[in-house]
Amino acid sequence: MSSLIQRGFFIIQFRCYKQCIQFMRIMWLLLLGMKIGKHTQISTLFINWPHQVSLGNNCILENDIHIKFDGIWQPGPSIILHDDVFIGNHCEFNISKGIKIGRQTMIASGCKFIDHDHGTALSESMNLQRPIVAPITIGEEVWMGVNCVVLKGVTIGKGAVIAAGSVVVRDVGAYEIVGGIPAKLIKKRV
């Protein structure tokens, strides 16, 4: 009898509770203007402008993801994830202009995406200069290793692989494997 009670408690705690919390989280984000596709799973998410985000179908967003639309309120969405995108734990999106992530892209834990930069002219203080902003585009079926950084204006082509710990400052062609700081071509996928 006690094992039956334990199994029942386990089912309630780990299946029903998590599903109920996720359902309430998705309903709240939808109410705030986020677009969320069917069967998309969202764990803990920190976001300042939910209406700036559009998630496709079957996306998985793991724990502790930070999405910061840097600026005042404006119509959106500017952060677009297409179908079947996976985002690992502790990723950060710091976006002023926009980011698009193609379908079936896998982004490992700890990756950061920043689409703006400070000016560096000597004529005035850096914190007073207008930021340099350019959108980020990530193609379909891209695989990014843990702790990658993608900076402003970068386009990553279809099927590219970004090695763990890389800093991507230039465009990456389709089916290229890049790595390092700054990321350089290692080889083409065959």
Side-chain angles (χ1 to χ4, degrees), residues 3 8 11 26 40 42 65 68 77 83 108 114 121 158 181-183:
S3 69
I11 290 169
I26 288 173
T40 290
I42 302 173
I65 295 173
K68 178 184 175 200
D83 296 343
I114 304 156
K158 179 178 181 176
I181 302 172

Side-chain angles (χ1 to χ4, degrees), residues 15-151:
R15 287 191 188 159
C16 299
Y17 178 74
K18 282 185 178 180
Q19 289 175 349
C20 183
I21 293 297
Q22 181 167 302
F23 175 78
M24 289 188 305
R25 182 180 295 122
I26 288 173
M27 290 297 112
W28 177 249
L29 291 170
L30 286 169
L31 182 67
L32 294 175
M34 183 183 282
K35 293 173 178 57
I36 302 173
K38 294 179 182 176
H39 308 294
T40 290
Q41 300 173 27
I42 302 173
S43 294
T44 54
L45 179 68
F46 303 94
I47 184 166
N48 63 343
W49 296 111
H51 73 284
Q52 287 292 340
V53 179
S54 174
L55 304 175
N57 298 322
N58 303 311
C59 293
I60 298 173
L61 279 69
E62 288 193 335
N63 292 312
D64 194 29
I65 295 173
H66 291 255
I67 300 176
K68 178 184 175 200
F69 184 79
D70 199 20
I72 60 172
W73 189 96
Q74 63 186 40
S78 296
I79 301 164
I80 300 168
L81 281 66
H82 291 283
D83 296 343
D84 303 305
V85 171
F86 172 84
I87 307 289
N89 293 317
H90 311 294
C91 286
E92 177 185 329
F93 297 85
N94 193 338
I95 303 300
S96 288
K97 185 75 171 173
I99 183 169
K100 291 182 182 174
I101 300 175
R103 64 178 194 73
Q104 296 182 345
T105 290
M106 300 175 294
I107 298 173
S109 300
C111 291
K112 297 184 184 335
F113 303 86
I114 304 156
D115 75 346
H116 54 280
D117 206 350
H118 295 284
T120 57
L122 289 173
S123 58
E124 65 180 316
S125 180
M126 285 188 280
N127 67 336
L128 299 177
Q129 294 180 38
R130 296 190 68 114
I132 303 162
V133 180
I136 297 170
T137 303
I138 300 174
E140 298 179 351
E141 302 172 17
V142 171
W143 174 27
M144 297 183 67
V146 68
N147 293 329
C148 290
V149 177
V150 179
L151 298 179

Side-chain angles (χ1 to χ4, degrees), residues 166-170 179-185:
S166 298
V167 177
V168 185
V169 297
R170 288 183 211 90
I181 302 172
K184 293 182 176 138
L185 179 65

